[in-house]
Amino acid sequence: MTIPPVPYAIDPDNAATVSAEEQQFNDLIAADSRIEPRDWMPDGYRKTLIRQISQHAHSEIIGMQPEGNWITRAPSLKRKAILLAKVQDEAGHGLYLYSAAQTLGISRDLMTEQLIAGKARYSSIFNYPSPTWADMGAIGWLVDGAAICNQVPLCRASYGPYGRAMVRICKEESFHQRQGFEILLELMNGTPAQREMAQDSVNRWYWPALQMFGPPDDDSPNSAQSMAWNIKRFSNDDLRQRFVGMLVPQAEVLGVTLPDPDLRWNEEKGAYDMGEIDWTEFHEVLAGRGPANARRLQRRRDAHDEGQWVREAAAAYAAKQAVKAVA
Amino acid sequence: MSDTIEQDAHGHVDTIQLSAELVEAASVASHDVAEYALWLGDDSLVLAQNLGWWISRAPELEEDIALGNIALDLIGHARSLLHYAGAESGRTEDDLAYWRDEPQWRSAHLFEQPNGDFAHTIARQFIAAHYLFELYSALMQSTDATLAAIAAKAVKEVDYHRDHSIQWVLRLALGTEESRRRMITGLSDLWPFVEELFVDEPLIDRLEGAAVRPSSLRGAVEAAMFPVLAEAELDVPRGFISSGGGRRGDHSENLGPMLAELQVLARAHPGAKW
Amino acid sequence: MRSSRGISHTHVGSLHAPDATLAVRNARDLYTRRNEGVSIWVVPADAITTSDPDAKGAFFESPAGKNYRHASYYTKSEGVKHL
């Protein structure tokens, strides 16, 4: 698919610069309808979506690793099965999203290349290590919890294939957060060592999970445009606030302490006040200087490189069979 | 607009009818039947443990998912079998999986073989799935109702594993020169472990009708595998045959490290629940 | 994908595969992990002929204004049984 060479009009109200197809696009957005792959769309809209959907897909794929590390060591067979199913789901979610991105005219090969070359971004949360079993709980509860908060509104994203992929993903992920919560609950009801493991893990994942909602609204340059295009439905800070509001009672059920001494209910605003997020760390990790960036990418690169001969074999076989079928 | 976040989040927890995770035991297994269930359960668990490594490392994302599905099926079989095997001695599936030392394991060497490259994994899958398919097909007729029920569920799943392995044997063998070379190597590295699958241990004599006699499976397994190898233009490897001994607790060198990894966390917390 | 007997196949998504045989298997592994289907069709993307999105006005305008094709158009028979 080629990207239409139609200039993107800065001011949609200026009728002189708005083409008929752009008007139609604007009307669809205004009516909260959906844009489909073969509709005309502004370059900026297309680029924003390609960036966002491919980053999202990469996050699912890289996100397999922190949990994948524990499949072989899961402490019960039931947990092993659950974890395996969850990590496998993430591969599936990556595929749904790559397919959605492809409808915008970028190939999966190119996205893969960008990822393993270290040129593409993915959620920086996956650059943190998972040294203990409790991390399987905290990742499910906090990381998947934050992801779900982010993703549920994306089910109504204006770009049809993205919204549809998100519907499927959200449906499947409904068990991911619950299984994580249950892992922590078992640990908190367990031995002192298990409780300590759980609290330590919550301490490590809480702040990175809050960072998953992105920079504060006044420092999030692309947010306004994404909201105008109905890709994004709520601001970063709104979603973060909402998430914390859900976590507090859940933490009480678990008996874990959320590691924010400034976290307290503010009657006046009807929401929680919270401490300052360390955005320096966020930007460091995002820039590739997190604890596990290199390892995560290397694993992906190895899988890709070592799988090359297999993919070539499958392609060669398919080509030979096609020739045979014609003959 | 902001009030709809609440409504959206977590609004859709699955309400489907959940089917049973494990095949329930119809009765408590006798000591011999329990031992036999260990054979089968250990084979499946060890193979699943091996396959689980591939998740996030497979040649294609599609294969991460395919191998994951296979591993999940096998864990399911292992859990049902170990659950049944343990009841006689008052042990759970996890007691058996996490608290037995290497000599108490009953897996055959084939399942213990390392993943190697993708061709080795496929060769192992090819042999294992053909063996398991014929085994479970026969075990459906077992006089032991629990083993028959486990087999009836498992046979359909390993049928798909068999198909998966066949597709890849054909593609690797007939794909490129390199893939063909690797497939030949993989198959010849795994073939020595075929023989052990068909050895009748004394236990089998005591379980006439309840267990499947391993030697009785050879004909059917070979009859299913050989035509695929022929289509893939692969010779049946010959030569070295492994002495086996897994059913008696004599294992390949791979099992020890695998168990160390499988059991490390559970053993660090005796008595803990997860 | 056919979700159960008696239901038509509906489109569920896209995937990659080197050939049709693997495409069906990949579809099974990707799209039926939760009992979603009992039958799968796969079609190569380039074998699909679609209506022209730019001509959608002309293509889909005609049914509008032909309300008499719908039962609810016939209001005078309301209240009469078995109609």
Side-chain angles (χ1 to χ4, degrees):
Chain A
M1 186 185 291
T2 51
I3 294 172
V6 179
Y8 168 51
I10 307 288
D11 178 10
D13 296 327
N14 184 345
T17 62
V18 175
S19 63
E21 40 197 7
E22 178 162 18
Q23 190 55 52
Q24 191 176 28
F25 172 86
N26 291 340
D27 291 347
L28 284 170
I29 295 289
D32 201 7
S33 185
R34 298 289 180 270
I35 307 299
E36 294 296 345
R38 305 202 323 158
D39 289 335
W40 181 91
M41 61 189 87
D43 273 359
Y45 180 82
R46 186 185 296 275
K47 279 184 192 148
T48 300
L49 280 167
I50 289 179
R51 182 172 47 80
Q52 181 170 339
I53 301 173
S54 64
Q55 279 181 17
H56 196 159
H58 297 327
S59 301
E60 296 280 358
I61 299 308
I62 296 291
M64 295 167 72
Q65 293 183 30
E67 292 170 290
N69 289 337
W70 281 93
I71 291 173
T72 52
R73 292 175 291 167
S76 77
L77 296 184
K78 185 176 94 174
R79 291 287 168 213
K80 189 189 286 290
I82 293 171
L83 189 62
L84 183 54
K86 176 177 189 278
V87 176
Q88 187 211 29
D89 267 352
E90 281 154 14
H93 298 172
L95 289 181
Y96 301 156
L97 289 162
Y98 282 131
S99 288
Q102 279 181 268
T103 64
L104 291 157
I106 184 168
S107 72
R108 188 163 130 198
D109 287 345
L110 180 58
M111 289 185 274
T112 304
E113 246 172 63
Q114 291 170 341
L115 175 64
I116 61 179
K119 287 180 194 157
R121 281 191 175 166
Y122 54 87
S123 181
S124 60
I125 193 89
F126 301 115
N127 290 323
Y128 290 89
S130 53
T132 74
W133 171 252
D135 294 335
M136 301 306 99
I139 290 175
W141 180 44
L142 297 171
V143 176
D144 289 310
I148 290 168
C149 260
N150 265 328
Q151 289 170 358
V152 167
L154 290 174
C155 295
R156 295 187 292 123
S158 60
Y159 188 57
Y162 191 27
R164 291 192 286 275
M166 292 315 305
V167 167
R168 189 174 281 278
I169 290 172
C170 286
K171 190 153 175 271
E172 297 189 353
E173 284 202 347
S174 58
F175 96 83
H176 292 185
Q177 192 186 14
R178 286 191 167 203
Q179 65 87 35
F181 186 86
E182 286 192 11
I183 287 174
L184 290 176
L185 196 59
E186 288 283 1
L187 293 176
M188 291 305 291
N189 289 334
T191 65
Q194 284 179 303
R195 279 197 293 279
E196 195 181 319
M197 194 195 286
Q199 181 64 56
D200 163 69
S201 180
V202 169
N203 291 349
R204 283 183 287 111
W205 290 97
Y206 178 75
W207 289 108
L210 293 194
Q211 292 171 354
M212 285 174 68
F213 294 96
D217 294 344
D218 49 23
D219 185 29
S220 182
N222 302 322
S223 277
Q225 180 61 80
S226 281
M227 287 181 76
W229 275 330
N230 290 347
I231 298 171
K232 206 171 156 62
R233 299 281 182 167
F234 303 100
S235 81
N236 295 350
D237 287 332
D238 281 352
L239 287 169
R240 186 164 22 240
Q241 188 74 50
R242 181 76 229 154
F243 180 57
V244 170
M246 292 195 290
L247 284 186
V248 171
Q250 291 171 356
E252 276 167 26
V253 175
L254 287 174
V256 296
T257 307
L258 296 176
D260 178 359
D262 299 322
L263 183 67
R264 62 179 56 84
W265 180 252
N266 181 328
E267 195 62 55
E268 204 173 305
K269 72 173 179 181
Y272 285 91
D273 287 332
M274 41 183 144
E276 277 293 308
I277 293 176
D278 181 357
W279 291 110
T280 322
E281 177 191 295
F282 173 79
H283 288 295
E284 279 293 294
V285 177
L286 199 62
R289 291 183 286 274
N293 296 56
R295 202 168 354 127
R296 299 280 183 256
L297 277 186
Q298 190 60 46
R299 162 91 69 93
R300 200 62 244 143
R301 217 166 4 244
D302 288 348
H304 186 77
D305 294 349
E306 283 159 28
Q308 182 74 23
W309 68 270
V310 178
R311 295 190 299 276
E312 282 169 6
Y317 178 83
K320 286 179 196 172
Q321 294 300 109
V323 170
K324 249 194 222 169
V326 172
Chain B
M1 200 190 240
S2 65
D3 57 346
T4 56
I5 309 181
E6 186 161 23
Q7 202 178 325
D8 277 346
H10 306 268
H12 44 57
V13 170
D14 298 348
T15 51
I16 56 157
Q17 189 76 41
L18 298 173
S19 51
E21 249 174 280
L22 302 185
V23 175
E24 272 308 314
S27 59
V28 173
S30 71
H31 185 73
D32 284 340
V33 170
E35 174 76 6
Y36 181 65
L38 274 187
W39 286 23
L40 312 190
D42 286 353
D43 284 350
S44 293
L45 181 53
V46 164
L47 185 56
Q49 179 76 1
N50 260 328
L51 290 173
W53 178 89
W54 277 105
I55 310 303
S56 79
R57 294 182 176 90
E60 295 242 47
L61 294 172
E62 285 80 355
E63 241 355 78
D64 280 298
I65 296 175
L67 292 171
N69 277 339
I70 293 172
L72 280 172
D73 289 343
L74 292 166
I75 292 177
H77 308 162
R79 289 182 64 197
S80 290
L81 287 159
L82 294 184
H83 174 71
Y84 187 41
E88 183 245 349
S89 53
R91 287 180 291 177
T92 65
E93 56 182 82
D94 288 333
D95 291 339
L96 290 172
Y98 292 92
W99 296 93
R100 276 182 303 153
D101 292 328
E102 187 178 328
Q104 286 135 25
W105 282 68
R106 293 293 174 262
S107 45
H109 289 203
L110 173 76
F111 303 95
E112 301 168 5
Q113 295 310 302
N115 287 321
D117 67 4
F118 188 68
H120 281 83
T121 289
I122 289 301
R124 192 184 59 205
Q125 275 309 109
F126 179 70
I127 300 165
H130 278 86
Y131 161 74
L132 290 172
F133 178 78
E134 299 304 335
L135 168 71
Y136 288 133
S137 296
L139 195 61
M140 283 197 289
Q141 316 304 322
S142 171
T143 53
D144 184 292
T146 308
L147 290 179
I150 293 172
K153 164 140 178 71
V155 73
K156 293 182 217 151
E157 295 177 341
V158 296
D159 192 14
Y160 187 80
H161 305 175
R162 201 168 59 141
D163 173 75
H164 171 268
S165 71
I166 291 171
Q167 296 305 327
W168 278 112
V169 164
L170 292 174
R171 279 161 183 76
L172 298 184
L174 303 174
T176 64
E177 249 175 67
E178 181 182 10
S179 70
R180 178 167 183 79
R181 178 180 58 73
R182 286 178 185 253
M183 191 66 242
I184 290 170
T185 308
L187 199 62
S188 67
D189 286 353
L190 271 302
W191 206 260
F193 305 100
V194 172
E195 198 56 33
E196 185 191 3
L197 303 175
F198 304 131
V199 173
D200 297 333
E201 297 286 338
L203 174 72
I204 296 300
D205 295 332
R206 304 197 296 272
L207 289 172
E208 201 61 53
V212 174
R213 185 166 284 281
S215 58
S216 73
L217 293 173
R218 182 196 298 272
V221 172
E222 290 183 349
M225 286 199 297
F226 289 175
V228 179
L229 296 181
E231 189 185 343
E233 297 166 25
L234 294 169
D235 295 327
V236 176
R238 278 182 304 181
F240 165 72
I241 290 175
S242 160
S243 58
R247 307 303 188 203
R248 298 187 302 273
D250 297 333
H251 293 284
S252 65
E253 287 180 346
N254 310 301
L255 187 65
M258 180 193 289
L259 293 182
E261 189 175 6
L262 174 81
Q263 298 173 335
V264 61
L265 175 61
R267 288 193 174 203
H269 300 268
K273 286 208 250 169
W274 303 95
Chain C
M1 177 96 65
R2 184 197 294 289
S3 59
S4 67
R5 289 183 173 278
I7 309 277
S8 335
H9 283 81
T10 48
H11 179 250
V12 293
S14 319
L15 52 82
H16 277 217
D19 57 49
T21 311
L22 284 190
V24 178
R25 281 152 185 82
N26 289 351
R28 177 261 192 197
D29 283 325
L30 183 58
Y31 289 105
T32 70
R33 299 197 301 286
R34 289 170 174 80
N35 266 326
E36 292 95 332
V38 296
S39 165
I40 296 170
W41 293 347
V42 295
V43 181
D46 60 14
I48 299 174
T49 308
T50 69
S51 59
D52 179 355
D54 296 331
K56 62 177 160 251
F59 231 72
F60 302 112
E61 186 58 29
S62 171
K66 296 190 175 62
N67 294 347
Y68 44 80
R69 285 187 188 275
H70 300 275
S72 57
Y73 177 78
Y74 301 91
T75 52
K76 286 185 182 153
S77 47
E78 238 170 57
V80 180
K81 285 183 180 170
H82 308 301
L83 257 179

